[in-house]
């Protein structure tokens, strides 16, 4: 099973809302990733967790807050977002340097 | 620093025609290379990967790619394109630290009936 699941599929939020994106994998992968993807662009790396510890933060604004409660789960907490944060948010997992498996993404719209 | 270029932003082919999507990389050592495909609004699906060994790799959906170290290329090919192949294609290389991919800008493939 090479499935990464993400919920919700779509999310609309106002600039004062707090929401969370969820990602789950059961492949025993020890690295998990959050990417942001704007239309017609490649995914941009936001965060990397290795062995449940944050190992890379690509200078992402603090209004995005990642959390890795256990080796299978990855959350992205959102607060006070801006309209320009509207994008497809992709989660991925891997065995470190090996293939990254991507979830279907959450389409986020910030009003 | 690693980089990946995909010279063709958009390619249009007729159904049944052959396809080649170009990918060039800049990397100091033997790279780990990948091709992913993305349909609109969807996640990325792995087509194939190259780590070492045979330089011609076979993937899913009838795709193959050839690693050419002398040209720093990893071009994707398919002998006969199907309408369902219309999508965005990304080439990627794993960076020095092995923790994140460097993606190319992508090539959008359109297929004419």
């Amino acid at each position: 099973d090479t499935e990464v699941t993400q919920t919700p599929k779509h999310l609309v939020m106002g600039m004062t809302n707090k929401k969370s994106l969820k990602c789950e994998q059961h492949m025993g992968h020890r690295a998990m990733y959050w990417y942001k993807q704007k239309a017609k662009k490649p995914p941009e790396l936001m965060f990397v967790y290795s062995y449940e510890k944050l190992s890379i933060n690509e200078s992402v604004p603090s209004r995005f807050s990642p959390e890795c409660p256990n080796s299978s789960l990855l959350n992205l907490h959102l607060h006070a977002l801006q309209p320009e944060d509207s994008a497809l948010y992709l989660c991925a997992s891997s065995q470190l340097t090996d293939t990254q498996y991507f979830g279907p993404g959450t389409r986020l719209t910030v009003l | 620093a690693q980089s990946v270029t995909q010279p063709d932003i958009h390619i249009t082919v007729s159904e049944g025609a052959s396809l080649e999507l170009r990918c060039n990389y800049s990397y100091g050592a033997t790279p780990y290379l990948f091709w992913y495909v993305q349909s609109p609004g969807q996640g990325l699906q792995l087509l194939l990967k190259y780590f070492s060994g045979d330089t011609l790799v076979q993937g899913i959906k009838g795709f193959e790619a050839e690693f050419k170290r002398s040209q720093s290329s990893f071009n994707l090919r398919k002998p006969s394109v199907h309408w369902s192949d219309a999508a965005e294609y990304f080439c990627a290389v794993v960076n020095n630290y092995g923790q994140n991919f460097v993606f190319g800008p992508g090539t959008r493939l359109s297929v004419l009936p």
Side-chain angles (χ1 to χ4, degrees):
Chain A
D1 182 11
T2 57
E3 188 178 27
V4 176
T5 59
Q6 290 187 243
T7 55
K9 294 191 70 166
H10 301 276
L11 178 63
V12 180
M13 58 187 291
M15 289 190 284
T16 59
N17 292 156
K18 286 184 179 181
K19 297 286 185 184
S20 296
L21 309 184
K22 180 180 174 181
C23 173
E24 194 165 5
Q25 59 90 12
H26 295 287
M27 294 177 277
H29 290 167
R30 302 318 300 265
M32 296 187 76
Y33 311 77
W34 280 115
Y35 288 87
K36 173 183 178 181
Q37 187 180 26
K38 301 286 267 186
K40 302 186 188 300
K41 296 290 186 183
E44 298 173 31
L45 183 68
M46 300 175 72
F47 303 104
V48 180
Y49 274 83
S50 294
Y51 295 93
E52 301 160 50
K53 294 193 186 313
L54 184 65
S55 58
I56 294 179
N57 176 342
E58 292 285 3
S59 303
V60 178
S62 59
R63 57 185 184 268
F64 295 91
S65 175
E67 178 197 20
C68 190
N70 60 56
S71 61
S72 300
L73 280 175
L74 186 66
N75 298 320
L76 186 63
H77 303 297
L78 315 172
H79 174 55
L81 295 192
Q82 303 298 308
E84 59 265 29
D85 297 321
S86 298
L88 182 68
Y89 287 84
L90 294 165
C91 174
S93 71
S94 76
Q95 281 293 28
L96 301 177
T97 59
D98 206 333
T99 305
Q100 289 190 18
Y101 294 92
F102 285 81
T106 294
R107 173 69 63 190
L108 174 67
T109 302
V110 181
L111 301 176
Chain B
Q2 297 81 16
S3 66
V4 178
T5 56
Q6 294 179 246
D8 304 303
I9 297 173
H10 184 204
I11 285 181
T12 300
V13 300
S14 297
E15 191 168 19
S18 64
L19 171 70
E20 183 170 32
L21 302 182
R22 295 182 290 164
C23 171
N24 294 97
Y25 65 89
S26 170
Y27 192 75
T30 301
Y32 291 178
L33 293 157
F34 304 80
W35 274 101
Y36 284 86
V37 61
Q38 185 179 32
S39 297
Q42 302 296 313
L44 278 71
Q45 181 183 23
L46 177 72
L47 287 175
L48 45 79
K49 63 184 179 184
Y50 173 77
F51 282 7
S52 65
D54 193 346
T55 57
L56 184 64
V57 292
Q58 302 298 319
I60 62 171
K61 305 185 180 187
F63 285 93
E64 66 176 26
E66 187 171 12
F67 170 63
K68 292 185 177 180
R69 184 187 300 277
S70 61
Q71 298 178 18
S72 297
S73 69
F74 189 55
N75 294 348
L76 182 71
R77 300 193 294 249
K78 187 170 185 178
S80 178
V81 170
H82 188 263
W83 64 265
S84 60
D85 293 324
E88 189 84 20
Y89 290 79
F90 293 101
C91 183
V93 62
V94 175
N95 76 342
N96 279 330
Y97 306 100
Q99 285 192 300
N100 66 288
F101 281 21
V102 176
F103 282 95
T107 296
R108 183 162 60 94
L109 174 65
S110 297
V111 180
L112 299 175

